[in-house]
Amino acid sequence: MSAQRPPNLLILMADQMTPFALPAYGHRLAQAPFISRLAAEGVVFDAAYCNSPLCAPSRAVLMSGLLPSATGAYDNASPLAPDIPTFAHHLRMLGYLTVLTGKMHFCGSDQLHGFEERLTTDIYPADFNWTPDWDHPELRPSWYHNMSSVIDAGPCVRTNQLDFDDEVVFTAERRIYDLARSSDNRSFCMVVSLTHPHDPFAVPQRFWDLYEGFAIDPPRFMPAPEAIDPHSRRLRFVCAMDETPVSEAQVLRARRAYYGAISYVDEQFARVVATLRSCGLAEDTIIIVLSDHGEMLGEHGLWYKMSFREGAARVPLIVHAPGRFSPRRVPHAVSLVDLLATLVEFGGAEPMVGTDGRSLLPHLRGDGGHDAAFGEYLAEGAVAPMLMIRRGGYKFIHSPGDPDQLFDLAGDADEVTNVATEPRFASLAAEFLEEIHRRWDVAELRRKVIESQRRRRIIDAASHRGRGHGWDWQPPRDATREYIRTHMDLDDLERNARFPRIARA
């Protein structure tokens, strides 16, 4: 990396994209040639995890480098406090231009969190209406997932998601062109965040047709009803999975549509990077591909996320910078909480405040690195904190009132057998449980979560009385300074807008 000018950073983010449905991670059917090429030329993390398997809290972790218990960003209606520095704040302090286009699911009044520019609104609301209610776990929230995404899966002409992601990619391309034509010589960090392949599972016909004639793979493991663990039972209730059972044909259609959505994401990422290359900016740009969490796709009888099962908790993480890092695959457990320290180190510095993560630079350079990921789930379908430690090929999950879970992922990749009570694993399970209680005050965390939920429900109820005022981001636009206007010199305008510039003798 240049000592004078740090590299540009392009973060390509998908929503709810499990690595288990990507060819770069071994899936034999899904078609994502561009992501596969980035993986072949880059560093692929084979055991990367989200720290909270839900959109908003996972993204808050990514931004802050802190776990939800440290920030209070517990669920999809939790604000990330404006006094918490994010990687965007850090990079701006290092002289970066920071740009966000697309989804980041910020709740509350701060809709920038360090980004100098935000080019689109969000696809999801910024208010507190989606606050969970641990006081009444017997009530299924009407606004939450149900099985319509699976039942109605298939091809479409247009969806809300397509409207959003097409705008995201257009604004990203346009801003890259502007950067190439600009006299602003700062390095940039741009986050391009799509909502696909998040449900509903509906894709344009041509992406559906990519999988015509192929035998769609069914879920690998379905537990017997009596073997379903308590948290999974709660998820089945909160998402109405038992209320609305789905057929085998519907499962396969949903998985096919999901693969089609991955192909759509792959094409959009390729468009953005092609624009970067056409503007001569790619060589000095580190490209990072990731997701906020995974998707169960019917595995273990579950859909969507909200679980520390591998399908929901694992995320793709690919760092593409062939001139800086040799292609390799990293087997160690890492997580999204590590990204802040990594991005700041790309910029030539260290975080200015403490974080819960560690830089991935040792992994990228091939000279060591940590092997641990920690997780907290504090939202719908839980009645107490659900905490996870992944280290050395083992995953341990603890939630008060539920049986502990321990999985030997090296010998049981599908997490079929909970070995927490097996005598030969008793010592290891005890060590993990002791570490859980050393790291977390579980009872106090539960108290704080419930207190936060109660406060936000009051605020949400009050906001619907009388005239409401939303926090949803309104992208600024001044049409008086766009294209051709009478206060601009036409020759200068056309010359400055053309790229590459015309060379005159």
Side-chain angles (χ1 to χ4, degrees), residues 263-479:
S263 298
Y264 169 83
V265 168
D266 187 72
E267 185 173 290
Q268 307 319 303
F269 285 175
R271 281 180 55 186
V272 174
V273 175
T275 304
L276 197 73
R277 288 176 175 150
S278 69
C279 291
L281 297 172
E283 186 173 340
D284 198 34
T285 299
I286 296 175
I287 301 170
I288 302 171
V289 175
L290 51 78
S291 182
D292 54 352
H293 50 73
E295 158 64 55
M296 288 302 293
L297 282 179
E299 299 291 346
H300 288 266
L302 299 175
W303 292 86
Y304 318 127
K305 55 271 187 179
M306 304 95 71
S307 167
F308 282 117
R309 294 284 184 177
E310 289 287 277
R314 280 270 301 277
V315 294
L317 179 57
I318 300 166
V319 178
H320 180 271
R324 294 177 171 85
F325 309 119
S326 299
R328 64 170 52 87
R329 299 191 80 100
V330 177
H332 304 100
V334 302
S335 62
L336 295 182
V337 79
D338 300 321
L339 264 293
L340 183 145
T342 307
L343 295 171
V344 173
E345 191 166 357
F346 284 158
E350 294 182 356
M352 291 172 280
V353 293
T355 74
D356 291 327
R358 288 176 277 183
S359 173
L360 299 175
L361 262 292
H363 296 291
L364 294 168
R365 294 174 180 142
D367 56 7
H370 61 283
D371 178 25
F374 302 94
E376 304 171 349
Y377 183 71
L378 308 165
E380 299 85 10
V383 293
M386 186 165 66
L387 308 167
M388 183 274 289
I389 301 174
R390 164 73 162 87
R391 182 190 293 116
Y394 294 98
K395 182 198 292 180
F396 184 78
I397 304 168
H398 171 78
S399 186
D402 293 348
D404 288 337
Q405 295 176 294
L406 176 63
F407 297 104
D408 177 5
L409 297 177
D412 181 19
D414 289 328
E415 300 172 294
V416 174
T417 305
N418 175 15
V419 298
T421 59
E422 292 189 10
R424 63 193 178 104
F425 289 102
S427 175
L428 180 61
E431 290 174 10
F432 273 125
L433 185 59
E434 189 277 330
E435 183 175 356
I436 290 280
H437 290 296
R438 189 173 68 248
R439 287 182 173 275
W440 288 280
D441 183 335
V442 184
E444 175 63 9
L445 179 56
R446 184 176 187 273
R447 186 194 68 78
K448 288 182 176 179
V449 170
I450 293 175
E451 184 181 78
S452 170
Q453 292 176 357
R454 291 171 179 171
R455 290 197 307 265
R456 286 180 282 138
R457 288 200 301 275
I458 293 171
I459 293 170
D460 178 65
S463 71
H464 289 90
R465 301 288 182 93
R467 182 178 178 185
H469 300 275
W471 290 316
D472 305 289
W473 176 246
Q474 301 286 338
R477 179 178 179 182
D478 183 0

Side-chain angles (χ1 to χ4, degrees), residues 71-99:
T71 64
Y74 302 135
D75 54 62
N76 274 346
S78 295
L80 177 63
D83 64 348
I84 295 176
T86 67
F87 71 72
H89 290 115
H90 281 84
L91 292 175
R92 285 180 75 172
M93 292 289 287
L94 296 174
Y96 274 80
L97 167 66
T98 54
V99 181

Side-chain angles (χ1 to χ4, degrees), residues 25-166:
Y25 285 85
H27 198 274
R28 296 183 180 181
L29 182 58
Q31 300 176 43
F34 178 71
I35 295 175
S36 294
R37 191 168 86 222
L38 292 181
E41 298 172 353
V43 180
V44 180
F45 289 84
D46 281 325
Y49 287 80
C50 67
N51 303 94
S52 189
L54 194 66
C55 298
S58 180
R59 290 160 187 269
V61 171
L62 169 69
M63 292 294 302
S64 68
L66 296 169
L67 295 174
S69 57
T71 64
Y74 302 135
D75 54 62
N76 274 346
S78 295
L80 177 63
D83 64 348
I84 295 176
T86 67
F87 71 72
H89 290 115
H90 281 84
L91 292 175
R92 285 180 75 172
M93 292 289 287
L94 296 174
Y96 274 80
L97 167 66
T98 54
V99 181
L100 167 64
T101 181
K103 177 181 177 178
M104 200 50 76
H105 210 151
F106 293 146
C107 295
S109 57
D110 188 349
Q111 288 292 305
L112 289 172
H113 287 292
F115 286 106
E116 185 174 343
E117 300 176 10
R118 188 173 184 187
L119 307 182
T120 71
T121 190
D122 210 301
I123 193 168
Y124 285 161
D127 58 31
F128 293 163
N129 186 252
W130 291 355
T131 302
D133 187 356
W134 283 8
D135 286 322
H136 297 284
E138 75 282 0
L139 300 178
R140 195 186 88 79
S142 61
W143 41 262
Y144 209 57
H145 288 274
N146 58 41
M147 296 309 290
S148 64
S149 290
V150 178
I151 293 169
D152 299 334
C156 67
V157 173
R158 205 68 192 162
T159 65
N160 186 46
Q161 287 178 291
L162 289 166
D163 289 345
F164 184 78
D165 282 350
D166 284 358

